[in-house]
Amino acid sequence: MNKIITIGREFGSGGREFGRRLAEELHYEYYDKEIITEIAKHTSLSEEYIKQVVECKPHHLYPITIGHSINFVESYQVNQIQQIFEAQCEILKNLAMKSNCVIVGRCADYILKDFHPFRIFVYANIDSRIKRCMERKEEDENYTYAKWKKKINKIDSNRAKYYGFYAEAKWGDKTNYDLCINTTDTNIKEIVPVIAKIFKD
């Protein structure tokens, strides 16, 4: 069976960078945003809509059509949400069967539980996360400390709700992971080779 590493992460903790660098160090395949693209191909739904679904608790999504009754919209939406999750499950399982890989987010630890992945959760204190976000912000993200904190908390809350909705487990609970990594004031590039030794024969 292929070696699968799943990465759960708090927003701004550097989990995505950690996953990418770990995959490079181990010469594993790396999957993150590519999964959204593949789901779009499978479902014919837009990547933006899929991203909204996988980053929110499903039944809190706003209607995506107009001119129909609320009941029709809700029923249509539920079907699409289920379609997205089923496509996500199929894609992740296919990727896991292809080769050794690192997968970031997407409830991968739950979906691939039968593959016995090594489950990592990356976290950091709020000051460190805000600092990292400010250093890597987009041009239009001229947020204050308070606005970054609000954004980080909202994104983490949505991730927790989505994970809890499908996995029926608590996102970020240390008992659900094989390794929890605190990246507070840490140079991720420097710690990856150390962590990678766990997976090298």
Side-chain angles (χ1 to χ4, degrees):
M1 184 177 288
N2 292 324
K3 294 180 180 179
I4 313 299
I5 301 171
T6 61
I7 309 287
R9 78 282 187 219
E10 291 181 334
F11 186 76
S13 65
R16 176 172 287 140
E17 178 189 353
F18 175 83
R20 176 178 54 79
R21 289 187 182 279
L22 183 62
E24 291 173 353
E25 180 75 20
L26 296 171
H27 303 291
Y28 285 12
E29 294 297 325
Y30 171 76
Y31 301 110
D32 181 11
K33 295 179 181 179
E34 300 86 350
I35 297 168
I36 298 294
T37 301
E38 288 303 311
I39 294 174
K41 291 178 182 178
H42 277 63
T43 62
S44 299
L45 298 170
S46 74
E47 291 189 27
E48 185 59 33
Y49 177 65
I50 293 168
K51 185 177 179 181
Q52 290 172 2
V53 169
V54 301
E55 291 183 356
C56 298
K57 189 174 182 180
H59 61 261
H60 282 174
L61 290 170
Y62 56 80
I64 59 170
T65 58
I66 57 175
H68 300 290
S69 70
I70 293 299
N71 287 339
F72 176 86
V73 171
E74 289 181 350
S75 176
Y76 181 65
Q77 197 172 44
V78 167
N79 288 337
Q80 287 197 326
I81 291 168
Q82 185 60 29
Q83 183 184 8
I84 288 170
F85 188 71
E86 289 175 358
Q88 180 169 293
C89 291
E90 180 182 353
I91 290 164
L92 289 178
K93 290 175 181 178
N94 287 339
L95 293 175
M97 288 188 287
K98 283 174 59 178
S99 62
N100 298 335
C101 60
V102 174
I103 302 174
V104 175
R106 322 303 171 199
C107 286
D109 57 331
Y110 169 73
I111 291 171
L112 299 177
K113 60 183 182 296
D114 292 338
F115 290 78
H116 306 293
F118 191 93
R119 304 159 302 171
I120 296 176
F121 190 80
V122 181
Y123 67 100
N125 69 27
I126 191 64
D127 288 342
S128 179
R129 293 158 65 193
I130 291 174
K131 180 181 178 182
R132 184 174 279 111
C133 288
M134 286 181 167
E135 290 174 347
R136 305 183 183 189
K137 65 182 177 67
E138 301 292 337
E139 289 185 5
D140 60 341
E141 292 181 323
N142 295 315
Y143 298 164
T144 61
Y145 180 99
K147 286 186 176 180
W148 270 118
K149 185 175 182 179
K150 184 177 180 180
K151 178 177 180 177
I152 286 170
N153 288 336
K154 181 179 180 180
I155 291 174
D156 280 354
S157 177
N158 285 339
R159 287 177 177 175
K161 289 173 182 176
Y162 183 80
Y163 185 86
F165 186 86
Y166 286 112
E168 298 179 354
K170 187 177 179 180
W171 178 82
D173 184 342
K174 62 181 181 295
T175 62
N176 295 328
Y177 305 95
D178 302 299
L179 178 65
C180 294
I181 300 174
N182 185 350
T183 58
T184 299
D185 300 324
T186 298
N187 185 319
I188 292 175
K189 184 177 180 180
E190 292 178 355
I191 67 170
V192 165
V194 178
I195 302 300
K197 291 179 181 180
I198 297 173
F199 307 99
K200 293 181 178 179
D201 296 328

